[in-house]
Amino acid sequence: VQLQASGGGLVQAGGSLRLSCAASGRTFSRYFLGWFRRAPGNEGEFVAAISWIGGGTKYADSVKGRFTISRDNVKNTVYLQMNSLKPEDTSVYYCGYSRTGYEEGYDYWGQETQVTVSS
């Protein structure tokens, strides 16, 4: 499985960005695509994930109501729409592929994309 992420950038607080992650290669019938982030000096943290078959979603409490994860089955792409961005959302973001669940079992990763939110 190959994952290609894009869409990071610099935005002012309160602004929006959309991240994309395109999956290619052999995928299993049931899997999850998720987004994680890692701020400087911190561990990576779960942001959001979507079940590819059922479309179920899960979010970290810190982004609920502001971020929306969605998928395009035809393009094999998952999106993370980030609204009402805050300076504390500044991180490198990366997408992952899991055959297990929303927050665990990730064994393929895309490259990082930087999101910077200025105050």
Side-chain angles (χ1 to χ4, degrees), residues 51-66:
S51 169
W52 201 253
I53 300 301
T57 59
K58 187 173 184 179
Y59 297 90
D61 288 342
S62 58
V63 306
K64 279 181 183 176
R66 300 188 299 122

Side-chain angles (χ1 to χ4, degrees), residues 36-47 62 87-94 112 114:
F36 292 73
R37 66 186 183 186
R38 183 176 61 251
N42 291 349
E43 298 285 329
E45 65 170 342
F46 171 77
V47 176
S62 58
E88 52 264 42
D89 294 316
T90 295
S91 286
V92 291
Y93 286 70
Y94 48 101
E112 299 173 343
Q114 177 70 45

Side-chain angles (χ1 to χ4, degrees), residues 50-84:
I50 189 165
S51 169
W52 201 253
I53 300 301
T57 59
K58 187 173 184 179
Y59 297 90
D61 288 342
S62 58
V63 306
K64 279 181 183 176
R66 300 188 299 122
F67 292 10
T68 303
I69 190 168
S70 62
R71 73 197 194 289
D72 183 325
N73 289 45
V74 174
K75 296 181 179 179
N76 280 343
T77 299
V78 63
Y79 303 98
L80 185 68
Q81 178 66 43
M82 305 184 293
N83 299 328
S84 302

Side-chain angles (χ1 to χ4, degrees), residues 85-105:
L85 282 161
K86 305 175 181 180
E88 52 264 42
D89 294 316
T90 295
S91 286
V92 291
Y93 286 70
Y94 48 101
C95 59
Y97 170 100
S98 169
R99 289 174 285 171
T100 305
Y102 291 103
E103 294 187 64
E104 67 277 354

Side-chain angles (χ1 to χ4, degrees), residues 1-3 21-33 52-53 73 75-77 96-99 107-108:
V1 177
Q2 294 81 45
L3 301 174
C21 179
S24 61
R26 181 182 178 183
T27 56
F28 290 83
S29 59
R30 177 180 180 271
Y31 60 95
F32 303 79
L33 288 181
W52 201 253
I53 300 301
N73 289 45
K75 296 181 179 179
N76 280 343
T77 299
Y97 170 100
S98 169
R99 289 174 285 171
D107 47 12
Y108 295 94

